[in-house]
Amino acid sequence: ILLGGGTRPGFLGDVVLQLLCVPLLLIAIHRWQALPADVREASGVRLALALACGLVGVLLVQVVPLPPEIWTQLPGRGAAVQSFELAGERLPWLAISLAPQSTWLALLSLIPTLAVLVGTIQLSLQDRQRLVMLALALGALSALLGLLQMAQGETSPLRPFEHTSPTEAVGLFANQI
């Protein structure tokens, strides 16, 4: 919330957040072993972790290079095959993803989410309730800031980001939600 959110990849806030969350995720994974078995084995916890692992797995499978005999049979590959043939080049090994770089970026964008998931699983009920209250308070602060931005107009000095939606109430975010 404090780094501006964002709906497009490449914002500095996104990169900073991902870098900050790597050690948090590693610490949370390390501390996972110290949790009581009943917490680790709770059905909701297992389901959440299984879904997270499945999502990471789907993305990882998409960036595994495949031999030409396989990837050329996938939908949407005709133009790529024609391009290599016209250039007189051998067909290389390519991933399932038509945009592997974007798939890697999607994987990186999961780091903060996974850090929050694994970290909050380890919190007590009281700590999770405090975290929810903090998120609600920051949301209310952002809404109030958005109202003040609208009252001051497009050139409001209360807009914390240079590139923003000048006619919308963005609050603490970099652009309209």
Side-chain angles (χ1 to χ4, degrees), residues 30-146:
H30 177 72
R31 290 187 58 209
W32 179 258
Q33 295 304 318
L35 285 178
D38 62 324
V39 173
R40 286 193 320 255
E41 298 300 320
S43 62
V45 169
R46 288 176 36 194
L47 177 62
L49 292 175
L51 289 172
C53 289
L55 180 59
V56 169
V58 166
L59 291 170
L60 284 174
V61 164
Q62 291 183 36
V63 294
V64 173
L66 298 173
E69 296 79 24
I70 296 176
W71 71 259
T72 56
Q73 302 304 313
L74 297 172
R77 298 307 176 103
V81 171
Q82 287 177 346
S83 297
F84 285 111
E85 288 174 352
L86 287 173
E89 295 182 24
R90 282 185 45 194
L91 294 176
W93 284 47
L94 292 178
I96 292 173
S97 176
L98 292 172
Q101 184 177 7
S102 295
T103 305
W104 282 111
L105 290 174
L107 270 164
L108 289 175
S109 72
L110 287 177
I111 292 172
T113 304
L114 295 174
V116 168
L117 174 67
V118 178
T120 54
I121 286 171
Q122 299 177 46
L123 295 176
S124 68
L125 175 61
Q126 187 178 19
D127 289 338
R128 287 192 303 261
Q129 288 173 335
R130 285 184 188 136
L131 197 58
V132 168
M133 294 307 292
L134 175 63
L136 290 173
L138 287 172
L141 174 67
S142 185
L144 178 63
L145 181 60

